[in-house]
Amino acid sequence: MEIFQEPIHYQNPLLCIKVWEFTSTGPLAHIKPPTQWHYHKEIEFILVKTGKHRLYTPERIFDLEPGEVVVIGSSRLHAAQRLSESDLSYIVLHVDLEPYFDPAMMPYYRHFAEIMRPLEDLNYIFAENEQARADVGRIIEQIHDEIISRPIGHEIAAAMHIKHLLLTLLRADSRGLLQSHEYVDRDTIGPILAYVEERLSERIELKEVSRMAGMSYHYFSKYFKKTMGVPFTDYVNRKRIAAAERALATQVESVVDIARSVGIDNMAHFYELFRRFNGCTPKQYLRRMTPDAGASAHD
C-alpha cells in the first residue's frame, strides 16, 4: 500500500484553487481495492462528467456516475479508480478555504474548518438532494471555466463561485450539520489553531495557549468551547488522532512510536482516544485501507 501527501500547485496562489479536468481511457483492469492513497491540506470536490468513478476513504466507498459529486475534507486519506470500460471524465477542484473565512463566513467557521466533524459527512446532501447536486456540479464547472479560460475578472468570479458553493451547501443542509453559531474572532482563534497544529508532538499547555489569547485560563476554556463547539483538550486530541491515522498508514513505526510522535505517551489513553474518534483499534483502521471492492456508500 502506497500513501503520500500530494502537493497541490495552485493555478492562482491568491485564490488557493487548483481545478482541472481529468480523463481516463483504455482497457480496464480487474477492479481491486486501491493500493495508492493520498491526502492534502485542501478540501476536494469531484464532479463526474462521463463514465463511472469510485472514491475510497477509510470508512466509505462512493460510486459516482455522470453528474454526481463528492466532497473530501482537509488531509483526509482517499483513493480513486475508474469503474467501467467507457471513458471516464471528471473535474477535480482543490481549494484551501482559509482565505475565504471573511467576517460573513465566521459564524460557520467551525464547520467548514472541520472542527467538530469531517466535511465528508455533507455527502448526504448530494445523495438526497438532486437540485443541490446539480447546483454544486454547475458551480464546479463554472470555477473550472473561469480558471482555465482566465477572462478579465476571473479572480473575482472564481472567488464568488467558491462562496456560492459554500452557500449552496449551507442551504441544502437538511440535517442541520452547518448551523450558524457564535461569531468567531479569527485573529484570536487562528493563531491558536496554528499553534496546536505545529506542536502536536509536544506537550500543549492550556495556560500558555490562554496567555496567547490574552485571556485567563478559565475564561479561555469557556470561550473556546463556546465558539468552537468542543473543549480545547478535546480539539487537541482530535488533531492528535487525525495525525496518528495518517502516520499509521504512511509510516512503518510501531503504534507506540506513532502515539508518542503525536504527543501521547500513555498507550491506554491513546487506544481510548482512537476508539472514541474512529470506533475501532489502530489495527482495524488499517484494515479499512483495503476495503471490499464490492461495497459502496452514498451517505
Side-chain angles (χ1 to χ4, degrees):
M1 178 170 61
E2 299 178 37
I3 302 181
F4 64 96
Q5 182 173 6
E6 179 185 358
I8 303 298
H9 303 292
Y10 303 133
Q11 289 135 315
N12 187 322
L14 295 177
L15 295 173
C16 295
I17 288 174
K18 178 183 177 182
V19 59
W20 205 262
E21 184 169 343
F22 293 88
T23 57
S24 175
T25 62
L28 183 66
H30 179 65
I31 298 174
K32 299 178 180 179
T35 57
Q36 290 187 328
W37 294 72
H38 65 281
Y39 66 97
H40 36 72
K41 176 186 176 183
E42 295 76 11
I43 69 169
E44 178 175 333
F45 288 88
I46 297 175
L47 165 66
V48 175
K49 300 187 70 176
T50 62
K52 295 183 179 181
H53 196 44
R54 173 171 287 171
L55 185 77
Y56 295 85
T57 69
E59 287 81 21
R60 301 172 184 172
I61 303 174
F62 299 91
D63 287 346
L64 307 172
E65 299 196 359
E68 295 193 314
V69 177
V70 69
V71 59
I72 301 298
S74 173
S75 298
R76 185 71 164 145
L77 288 166
H78 56 288
Q81 61 186 179
R82 179 161 58 103
L83 280 184
S84 65
E85 288 288 348
S86 58
D87 293 350
L88 172 65
S89 173
Y90 59 101
I91 296 176
V92 177
L93 167 64
H94 295 110
V95 56
D96 180 359
L97 290 181
E98 280 296 325
Y100 298 92
F101 290 132
D102 59 18
M105 279 289 297
M106 295 315 290
Y108 307 97
Y109 177 83
R110 73 186 187 195
H111 302 308
F112 288 114
E114 302 182 88
I115 301 296
M116 299 183 67
R117 60 173 55 88
L119 284 177
E120 186 179 333
D121 288 354
L122 295 180
N123 283 306
Y124 87 87
I125 294 174
F126 306 132
E128 298 178 0
N129 190 324
E130 182 178 352
Q131 185 61 56
R133 182 171 68 243
D135 289 344
V136 169
R138 183 168 56 254
I139 293 169
I140 292 172
E141 290 190 287
Q142 290 170 334
I143 294 171
H144 173 268
D145 292 345
E146 290 288 345
I147 295 297
I148 298 301
S149 300
R150 298 173 62 85
I152 186 169
H154 70 277
E155 305 93 339
I156 299 172
M160 290 174 62
H161 288 317
I162 292 292
K163 287 291 194 70
H164 188 196
L165 192 160
L166 300 180
L167 178 61
T168 301
L169 293 176
L170 281 170
R171 292 185 171 174
D173 175 30
S174 61
R175 298 184 186 178
L177 303 184
L178 301 174
Q179 289 294 312
S180 176
H181 59 83
E182 193 77 17
Y183 180 81
V184 177
D185 183 346
R186 184 177 178 180
D187 291 339
T188 299
I189 289 295
I192 300 299
L193 302 186
Y195 179 87
V196 170
E197 194 73 41
E198 294 167 2
R199 290 169 174 78
L200 288 177
S201 63
E202 306 171 13
R203 185 178 180 84
I204 298 175
E205 298 283 356
L206 184 55
K207 185 176 181 180
E208 171 62 18
V209 174
S210 59
R211 185 196 64 77
M212 290 175 57
M215 303 175 187
S216 70
Y217 178 99
H218 294 292
Y219 185 83
F220 175 77
S221 295
K222 294 179 180 178
Y223 173 82
F224 191 92
K225 184 175 182 180
K226 184 177 182 180
T227 56
M228 294 290 99
V230 295
F232 178 74
T233 53
D234 196 19
Y235 170 75
V236 174
N237 286 332
R238 287 170 186 260
K239 299 298 288 187
R240 291 193 198 280
I241 296 303
E245 292 167 13
R246 294 188 294 273
L248 281 165
T250 59
Q251 300 175 19
V252 295
E253 283 83 356
S254 68
V255 174
V256 172
D257 289 338
I258 287 173
R260 288 173 178 167
S261 74
V262 297
I264 304 175
D265 293 326
N266 185 316
M267 289 306 298
H269 185 48
F270 176 78
Y271 277 101
E272 177 190 352
L273 290 174
F274 202 94
R275 287 192 185 95
R276 183 194 305 174
F277 297 129
N278 289 291
C280 65
T281 66
K283 187 174 182 179
Q284 290 168 335
Y285 182 85
L286 282 178
R287 287 176 182 160
R288 292 178 180 175
M289 307 303 289
T290 54
D292 179 359
S296 65
H298 285 277
D299 58 12

